[in-house]
Amino acid sequence: AKLAAERVAAEETLRAREAERRAAEEAQLAEQRVAAAERKAAQAEAARREKEAADRRAEEEKARRRAKAAEATAAKKEAKAKNNKAKKAPSAFALEEERRAKAAAELRAQEERAAQLAAEQEAARRAEREAAELAGAAERAALREDAELA
């Protein structure tokens, strides 16, 4: 009976040790699961941050491309406006023709002024001559009168 009791006690001890070992294994497994879950959460957070950074970079790149395209469009518009303005501007030939016409008109005006001046000078000389003739005639008439009186 003593042996049987010892055997039962030994079996109980073995069972208790086995239960302890199993409990320790399960606790260790639970710890490993918690650690794995924490690692997964950290990886997910890192992936989320990386995705946000990538999205931000993509947005910035898109904005840069848009700005560059807008700049190019503005430059094209400016060039087109400049080209149209150049098309509307008179050609060098037309400008030269206009300059020649102005010069010719100026020359004609100068010639007309010169002719007018010459005519005025001629009229003045004629008037002077007539005045001199009148003065001479008046003098002769006065002399004749003097001679008649004397």
Side-chain angles (χ1 to χ4, degrees):
K2 196 176 181 182
L3 274 176
E6 280 177 15
R7 204 181 308 134
V8 168
E11 282 175 7
E12 280 299 315
T13 307
L14 273 176
R15 261 192 239 115
R17 281 191 195 140
E18 182 65 23
E20 267 179 40
R21 190 181 56 76
R22 261 193 249 126
E25 276 179 13
E26 281 178 18
Q28 192 179 2
L29 279 174
E31 281 176 20
Q32 285 174 353
R33 278 192 212 106
V34 166
E38 285 174 357
R39 275 195 312 273
K40 263 189 183 172
Q43 285 174 348
E45 180 64 17
R48 186 186 62 76
R49 283 201 196 110
E50 181 57 35
K51 185 182 182 323
E52 280 179 4
D55 288 349
R56 199 168 40 251
R57 284 193 302 271
E59 277 301 315
E60 288 169 0
E61 181 60 29
K62 199 187 284 183
R64 267 196 298 278
R65 279 198 306 268
R66 274 198 207 109
K68 201 173 179 184
E71 212 173 281
T73 303
K76 278 184 193 167
K77 274 187 181 174
E78 195 176 315
K80 193 173 184 181
K82 195 173 179 186
N83 193 19
N84 284 343
K85 189 176 180 187
K87 281 181 187 172
K88 287 176 188 164
S91 66
F93 177 75
L95 288 173
E96 181 63 18
E97 285 292 308
E98 191 178 324
R99 190 190 61 73
R100 283 188 185 143
K102 278 184 184 171
E106 183 72 24
L107 191 62
R108 278 194 302 277
Q110 281 178 356
E111 286 172 353
E112 283 175 18
R113 283 196 296 273
Q116 193 176 353
L117 194 62
E120 285 174 7
Q121 285 175 346
E122 183 60 35
R125 279 197 294 270
R126 204 176 304 124
E128 243 177 68
R129 226 179 295 123
E130 287 173 6
E133 285 173 14
L134 284 175
E139 210 175 297
R140 284 193 299 275
L143 285 174
R144 241 190 337 258
E145 242 179 65
D146 283 346
E148 283 175 11
L149 289 175

